[in-house]
Amino acid sequence: MFVLMDIEWVTNHIHHFSPTQAAALRVDDAWNAAERFYVRIRPRDKTFHIWSHMAYTGGQPSDFLFARGIFQALTDLKAWLRDDDTICFWERDSVNILKSSFNLILKEKVPQRIIVLSDYVFPFLTERKDAYQICKAMGNQASGPKHQAENDVRAIRKALACMRYPASLLGGAPPAVPDTGSVQLPFMADKAYFPYQSGVCNAVSHARDCGGLPPGVPLTGQPGPEYMFHDTPKPCPDCMRNDQPKSRREQNMEIINRSQYRFVYAESSGVFHRRDCGLVLSTASVIRGSHYYSTCEKTGRRPCRVCNPAAGHWYSPVHKSGKVLLPEVVSRSVTAAEQKALARFRKAQNERYARGHNAFESKTERDDFYTLTQPRFAFWAAAGYTNFHTRSCRKLQGLTNLEGFSRYRDAVKAGHTPCKYCKPTAKMDIVCPLPITSRERSDESVKDLQALCRQYHYPSAFENGEFSFSTPVGKWKIDTTAKPYVIYHINLVMTPQASSYHRQPRIFLSMLDCMAYIRRHDDELCERTIGSRQDPAACKAAGL
């Protein structure tokens, strides 16, 4: 039997794809529906959380965040399909997505025959239309909205039924495209931009309706001008005059928003800007940045005269009296491990404030100093040496390119052996880490956590001083009545059936620090889980 299928997908900034939903409709030769299949698919990682993208039509962000993983979705689809089915897509790109997903995730090829309907039905059409427009032209409205996979396959079935297209013709090869002396394309998806070769070395990108397209030129499709952002197909100065700058600004804005830099600059420019300056958005060069004003100055660039970036230090400044401003954070009973963590934190801050940011002769010296004064490290090793040491070891003095470890077993796992002079042991492990970047914030509240959860599309609740929320891979609680704050967690990947929370052995000085840690923790867990798709059993256990 014939299976009408549609797959929606989203592409991230490096042009990787992630399917978001798939629908299939098994029909008979008269295009009558027999069986249906539909599944939403969880995005691979946060780079695909482009919730305004049409691929997420038909559901809220939370519907996709808590949907099945790609491995489980493809496994279910594979079980639903029959060996004698003929899979029918409306466009060729969807065929490529299905084949690539089977190959990358399931490590096998799609066993069924696959055809592209637009290669067959174009002789019946007077102009290029999608299935919804065909139904409307023939007086039979298809239900929307478009780009919801289940609606799209229904529209395809209704369009084929309205045209009374003979299903028997799909058993053979598609008809040839007539050669009329002009560019002829099969009836395919809404491709907006087509790069073509216009000489020996130069490539130019044109809009589909550009009058500069010469007849008889072979065309390949691209979904938008962002595909030609930094690449060789140059935009046509006539038809893409407005689209290319707009796409460039949107992509640069996304790059800056993802970074944490206070100051940014283009590689090809001699000026640096504040991160909210609009002048840097129009650049076609790579955008760089820094937390520090002095770092941008050392590149030889001058400050922008429009946004006037101001000098400032990344860490809190020293008071004019010379006393280091340390946060007063202890407002509850803390454990012995937490007391040690706070002591390490204060000592590290004192060392960094006393040394200053500009008191280094080289970048290596500065990096090594910051590694040594990271309070979450207990052991250190140098590049090119096998031994690892404690901070007080005299053999550590003078070594460069240092690497830190929180636990004894981490250092051993990295291939290092304990120093015979300082004799580090597992009893020196850091069991309660507190990063040097932590700081107390007086202007934050539970409303900030609620706003972040809305931004990340996490279901949340606040009751009796506990702020609880769920992510695709975990459940979390933040005790906002205790300071330093306490976090409780359930790992839904390793223990999906667990109902009791366990306490995180860390210190958090602010609620925003808590959320930053949780986001980083769950993003890394998602990446590790997705990376384990080589093992089908692990993927199935993780819901991928």
Side-chain angles (χ1 to χ4, degrees):
M1 298 183 73
F2 294 104
V3 172
L4 308 179
M5 188 176 294
D6 181 73
I7 294 180
E8 299 293 330
W9 69 93
V10 62
T11 306
N12 66 2
H13 62 285
I14 56 175
H15 308 317
H16 290 172
F17 72 89
S18 177
T20 60
Q21 51 182 310
L25 183 64
R26 185 171 286 114
V27 296
D28 58 20
D29 292 347
W31 309 117
N32 297 314
E35 297 179 74
R36 292 178 173 85
F37 174 87
Y38 177 71
V39 63
R40 288 193 180 99
I41 305 172
R42 186 170 66 244
R44 285 168 47 192
D45 54 58
K46 64 180 180 180
T47 65
F48 297 98
H49 293 177
I50 312 169
W51 304 119
S52 59
H53 196 281
M54 61 187 181
Y56 293 109
T57 300
Q60 297 297 320
S62 57
D63 295 330
F64 291 93
L65 283 172
F66 293 91
R68 295 191 174 188
I70 181 64
F71 179 86
Q72 188 61 51
L74 291 179
T75 303
D76 293 345
L77 175 61
K78 177 185 173 183
W80 183 84
L81 290 169
R82 301 173 184 172
D83 293 339
D84 59 344
D85 282 336
T86 297
I87 301 175
C88 306
F89 283 101
W90 192 262
E91 58 182 20
R92 192 170 302 278
D93 280 355
S94 297
V95 177
N96 297 333
I97 293 295
L98 180 67
K99 289 182 177 180
S100 298
S101 299
F102 263 68
N103 183 46
L104 292 172
I105 306 301
L106 300 183
K107 303 300 179 183
E108 60 182 74
K109 295 183 178 180
V110 181
Q112 288 79 10
R113 176 174 175 254
I114 304 177
I115 64 172
V116 181
L117 289 171
S118 58
D119 291 347
Y120 287 81
V121 303
F122 75 90
F124 291 78
L125 308 174
T126 57
E127 58 183 87
R128 296 178 66 204
K129 299 175 181 177
D130 60 25
Y132 292 92
Q133 292 173 325
I134 295 171
C135 294
K136 184 177 180 180
M138 294 188 175
N140 196 339
Q141 189 74 30
S143 60
K146 296 181 182 180
H147 306 297
Q148 201 275 341
E150 204 166 20
N151 291 340
D152 289 353
V153 295
R154 291 195 190 105
I156 294 171
R157 186 202 68 81
K158 189 171 290 189
L160 292 170
C162 290
M163 290 187 295
R164 297 182 181 178
Y165 189 86
S168 58
L169 295 180
L170 300 180
V177 180
D179 185 7
T180 61
S182 61
V183 177
Q184 294 289 334
L185 293 173
F187 181 44
M188 295 175 61
D190 279 332
K191 291 290 193 178
Y193 297 88
F194 297 93
Y196 77 99
Q197 197 74 19
S198 63
V200 180
C201 302
N202 299 322
V204 179
S205 303
H206 291 263
R208 183 177 58 208
D209 55 354
C210 179
L213 281 170
V217 171
L219 303 178
T220 57
Q222 297 288 0
E226 64 273 10
Y227 282 74
M228 287 77 76
F229 183 55
H230 290 302
D231 298 331
T232 50
K234 295 181 171 37
C236 172
D238 297 323
C239 65
M240 296 185 66
R241 182 177 303 170
N242 297 324
D243 291 333
Q244 187 74 3
K246 179 181 177 182
S247 177
R248 180 184 297 127
R249 289 179 66 86
E250 289 176 352
Q251 186 157 350
N252 284 338
M253 187 178 300
E254 182 184 357
I255 292 172
I256 293 173
N257 289 338
R258 288 199 314 269
S259 75
Q260 299 297 319
Y261 297 134
R262 295 178 62 196
F263 309 103
V264 294
Y265 54 84
E267 277 192 342
S268 59
S269 172
V271 179
F272 67 93
H273 313 258
R274 292 191 326 201
R275 62 177 293 125
D276 56 351
C277 181
L279 297 182
V280 74
L281 298 179
S282 59
T283 182
S285 179
V286 178
I287 292 181
R288 306 292 186 189
S290 174
H291 297 305
Y292 303 105
Y293 184 94
S294 58
T295 302
C296 296
E297 278 189 322
K298 288 179 181 179
T299 64
R301 293 176 171 83
R302 61 176 177 83
C304 173
R305 295 177 182 175
V306 176
C307 63
N308 295 319
H313 202 276
W314 176 248
Y315 299 105
S316 300
V318 178
H319 192 265
K320 60 183 180 181
S321 65
K323 181 181 178 181
V324 177
L325 301 178
L326 294 177
E328 296 295 332
V329 296
V330 180
S331 58
R332 63 171 173 87
S333 298
V334 295
T335 65
E338 289 175 332
Q339 289 177 353
K340 291 180 181 178
L342 286 167
R344 290 194 305 269
F345 177 75
R346 292 192 180 95
K347 180 180 178 181
Q349 279 202 330
N350 276 318
E351 286 184 285
R352 291 197 179 187
Y353 289 143
R355 184 69 178 267
H357 178 64
N358 298 318
F360 302 99
E361 296 181 359
S362 65
K363 181 179 181 299
T364 301
E365 181 184 357
R366 182 188 64 193
D367 292 345
D368 289 340
F369 176 75
Y370 285 169
T371 302
L372 280 173
T373 54
Q374 174 56 259
R376 63 186 177 90
F377 291 151
F379 312 102
W380 290 265
Y385 293 85
T386 59
N387 290 343
F388 65 94
H389 314 264
T390 62
R391 175 72 188 275
S392 59
C393 182
R394 64 177 178 83
K395 292 191 175 182
L396 188 62
Q397 307 300 320
L399 299 182
T400 58
N401 296 314
L402 300 179
E403 180 182 9
F405 304 94
S406 299
R407 298 177 299 181
Y408 181 92
R409 65 180 181 182
D410 293 338
V412 173
K413 189 176 180 179
H416 300 291
T417 57
C419 171
K420 295 182 179 179
Y421 180 80
C422 61
K423 298 178 180 179
T425 66
K427 293 182 179 180
M428 302 176 184
D429 286 356
I430 300 295
V431 295
C432 184
L434 176 60
I436 191 66
T437 53
S438 301
R439 62 189 180 93
E440 189 178 28
R441 296 174 174 86
S442 59
D443 56 345
E444 64 179 6
S445 67
V446 174
K447 292 182 178 179
D448 295 319
L449 294 179
Q450 293 170 335
L452 287 173
C453 284
R454 287 194 298 269
Q455 176 184 343
Y456 302 143
H457 304 283
Y458 295 158
S460 64
F462 181 62
E463 186 177 0
N464 298 327
E466 285 190 341
F467 185 81
S468 59
F469 61 97
S470 299
T471 73
V473 293
K475 293 182 178 180
W476 298 86
K477 284 184 180 180
I478 302 176
D479 185 354
T480 62
T481 64
K483 225 176 181 186
Y485 297 99
V486 181
I487 293 183
Y488 301 91
H489 177 224
I490 295 178
N491 189 319
L492 296 180
V493 174
M494 303 301 296
T495 56
Q497 305 300 326
S499 58
S500 59
Y501 289 78
H502 66 271
R503 178 173 172 172
Q504 293 290 101
R506 294 171 179 268
I507 283 187
F508 300 94
L509 306 186
S510 79
M511 289 184 283
L512 296 182
D513 278 348
C514 296
M515 183 60 75
Y517 164 75
I518 291 169
R519 285 279 291 174
R520 184 170 61 253
H521 177 281
D522 279 11
D523 287 345
E524 292 174 356
L525 180 58
C526 282
E527 291 176 4
R528 289 198 304 270
T529 306
I530 292 170
S532 69
R533 63 172 175 261
Q534 301 286 350
D535 182 1
C539 293
K540 186 174 183 179
L544 291 175

